[in-house]
Amino acid sequence: MPDRDLKTGLLTRLHERHSIVCVVGLGYVGLPLAVAVAEAGHKVIGIEIEETRVAAINDGRSPVADVPSEQLERLVADGRLAASTSYSAAARADVVVIAVPTPIDEYRVPDLSAVQQAAAAAARVMKPGSLIIL
Ligand SMILES: NC(=O)c1ccc[n+]([C@@H]2O[C@H](COP(=O)([O-])OP(=O)(O)OC[C@H]3O[C@@H](n4cnc5c(N)ncnc54)[C@H](O)[C@@H]3O)[C@@H](O)[C@H]2O)c1
């Protein structure tokens, strides 16, 4: 399919709220973002390496103070937000947003290994025409 048609298809699905958005890393940035995107009407799948965090989120228990558990519980119950440890979810995604840690060392140089790992894992399964955001 030509690039222009892929782009039009993506924009239409986003406008019509038929899109699936993956947020990789459900921490202080990723979880509030995932909730905001789900509240906007998109289906959200969070990809997170910490199994206990995935279990808590799918149980409606928020591990992040900015996100009330009641809100998370409602979105999970409505099927608007789910979490997984598997990158296979990125195969269905229209948009993948990476929000994994980038800790700095004593020289203030960021360690980008988690970003590289997440980008490579998502790129292995993402479909043509989908959008990836770092
Ligand atoms: N917290 C802030 O106020 C803030 C502000 C601006 C920018 N940022 C940036 O946002 C990014 C995320 O920061 P944060 O504060 O949300 O971090 P965080 O540590 O709160 O959350 C990151 C989450 O990503 C998960 N994770 C790590 N590696 C992963 C991988 N390969 N695949 C899937 N999940 C993985 C971790 O288990 C964790 O739950 C960083 O680059 C940070 O510099 C953070």
Side-chain angles (χ1 to χ4, degrees):
M1 193 183 287
D3 286 354
R4 197 183 52 229
D5 293 352
L6 288 171
K7 182 180 170 189
T8 305
L10 172 64
L11 290 174
T12 303
R13 284 193 299 284
L14 287 169
H15 281 301
E16 294 178 352
R17 303 296 192 261
H18 290 148
S19 47
I20 297 179
V21 177
C22 266
V23 177
V24 182
L26 296 173
Y28 289 103
V29 169
L31 188 59
L33 174 69
V35 164
V37 174
E39 290 286 15
H42 304 276
K43 186 175 170 59
V44 178
I45 304 170
I47 300 174
E48 163 60 54
I49 48 170
E50 289 286 337
E51 282 182 20
T52 51
R53 188 164 276 249
V54 168
I57 290 166
N58 286 333
D59 239 15
R61 286 179 286 113
S62 175
V64 170
D66 286 347
V67 174
S69 288
E70 299 72 32
Q71 186 181 23
L72 193 58
E73 197 175 15
R74 173 174 52 78
L75 290 169
V76 171
D78 288 350
R80 302 232 56 87
L81 191 152
S84 171
T85 54
S86 169
Y87 274 83
S88 62
R92 296 163 54 213
D94 298 292
V95 180
V96 172
V97 186
I98 297 179
V100 298
T102 50
I104 52 172
D105 67 14
E106 74 243 57
Y107 305 107
R108 306 187 65 78
V109 175
D111 175 355
L112 299 178
S113 55
V115 172
Q116 287 160 345
Q117 186 188 16
R124 270 196 286 277
V125 297
M126 284 174 73
K127 60 188 178 189
S130 48
L131 173 68
I132 186 160
I133 300 171
L134 173 59

